[in-house]
Amino acid sequence: MSSHTFYHDHPEMLLLQTEVISSQPGRVRLADSPFFPGGGGQMADRGILRWQHGELPVTGFEGSGRDQWIVLADPVADITGNVEAVVDPAFRQMMRELHTGTHILNALVFQNFDGALVTGVQMNEDGTARMDFDVPGADNDRLRSLEAPINDVLRQNLAVTDSYVGIEQAAKEHGLIRSRSVAPPPTPDGTIRIVEIRGLDRQACGGTHLAETGASRPIRILKIENKGRHNRRVRIGLA
């Protein structure tokens, strides 16, 4: 059995036949789950759970790992046996595009603004996202000019892969943990997941991403905002 999550090991599998291992009114625990539960600024997956006597929308997640509960839209009791867990493909695709886009933006800011770190990130259901960077005195026009390089990376169709390294190694490698305040939680085997955009960037992350940058729609920089003396907020959107 893998010590990593199902949605990391099998990101393209959006329909999973699995088994209920525990059930309470309105929520279940599954042997495996294809749902990304949210975190790191990425919204949780949407989807449905089907079983022998019906189906219900998934409305949330509680807990983590094998202790994670999948919360359903109604307090149905006695869901047992085999079920189908179905991820909403359009919403997952949008989140993958946005998350890949934020990595590209992150990489370009890190390279062009003296290793500037991320101070906040949030992806939204309307196809937009915002990233906050610690870039004191940054020229907002320079930040805005990154739109063309971002879309050039998309056109290059670079491979996006992941791997796992030990926590100590991750902490020692400069630029691998890119956020000023948080880092992805370690997996059960004590490693950190690293997402790499081939030839461009390598950083710790626990979200879902595209398999290649060319699968994304173009990205626009919508707005640059000053958030205090140090922070610049960059808002992007899928075109």
Side-chain angles (χ1 to χ4, degrees):
M1 181 181 296
S2 173
S3 63
H4 306 145
T5 58
F6 187 91
Y7 54 82
H8 285 157
D9 288 345
H10 307 281
E12 306 298 333
M13 189 175 292
L14 304 183
L15 187 155
L16 176 65
Q17 294 183 343
T18 184
E19 184 180 2
V20 174
I21 58 175
S22 185
S23 176
Q24 295 179 359
R27 63 182 195 162
V28 296
R29 290 169 56 204
L30 303 178
D32 275 310
S33 170
F35 298 112
F36 175 71
Q42 181 177 337
M43 297 180 70
D45 276 331
R46 297 172 179 178
I48 60 174
L49 189 76
R50 295 191 185 115
W51 67 100
Q52 184 177 3
H53 302 296
E55 67 178 47
L56 279 173
V58 172
T59 60
F61 304 89
E62 297 175 356
S64 61
R66 297 226 162 244
D67 294 325
Q68 182 183 89
W69 290 93
I70 295 173
V71 182
L72 304 174
D74 290 318
V76 175
D78 299 326
I79 300 176
T80 59
N82 295 325
V83 296
E84 281 188 344
V86 186
V87 178
D88 181 326
F91 191 77
R92 166 70 73 86
Q93 174 67 15
M94 182 176 68
M95 286 295 113
R96 292 175 77 189
E97 290 181 57
L98 282 174
H99 208 148
T100 303
T102 61
H103 274 240
I104 296 169
L105 171 62
N106 189 343
L108 294 173
V109 170
F110 187 77
Q111 294 167 12
N112 287 279
F113 292 86
D114 300 320
L117 296 178
V118 175
T119 57
V121 59
Q122 181 62 54
M123 288 155 245
N124 306 310
E125 61 184 345
D126 63 355
T128 67
R130 58 92 173 163
M131 294 194 81
D132 295 350
F133 297 96
D134 184 359
V135 280
D139 183 336
N140 287 358
D141 287 337
R142 278 186 65 204
L143 286 166
R144 194 173 290 107
S145 72
L146 294 177
E147 180 176 303
I150 291 171
N151 285 291
D152 184 56
V153 171
L154 299 184
R155 286 189 292 269
Q156 291 178 51
N157 200 29
L158 303 179
V160 183
T161 60
D162 64 6
S163 59
Y164 294 83
V165 303
I167 296 175
E168 292 185 2
Q169 179 184 342
K172 290 177 182 177
E173 186 172 335
H174 175 67
L176 205 59
I177 297 177
R178 199 68 60 77
S179 172
R180 181 169 291 285
S181 57
V182 298
T187 62
D189 62 1
T191 57
I192 294 287
R193 180 171 177 259
I194 306 300
V195 173
E196 179 176 357
I197 301 176
R198 194 69 52 83
L200 175 74
D201 189 52
R202 194 165 174 267
Q203 62 175 283
C205 186
T208 63
H209 307 80
L210 299 170
E212 58 277 320
T213 61
S216 176
R217 286 163 281 183
I219 288 175
R220 296 172 297 139
I221 291 183
L222 304 174
K223 191 175 184 180
I224 310 291
E225 300 173 85
N226 295 350
K227 293 293 180 179
R229 187 169 64 88
H230 283 268
N231 285 324
R232 294 294 183 274
R233 176 165 294 176
V234 183
R235 295 188 182 274
I236 64 172
L238 296 170

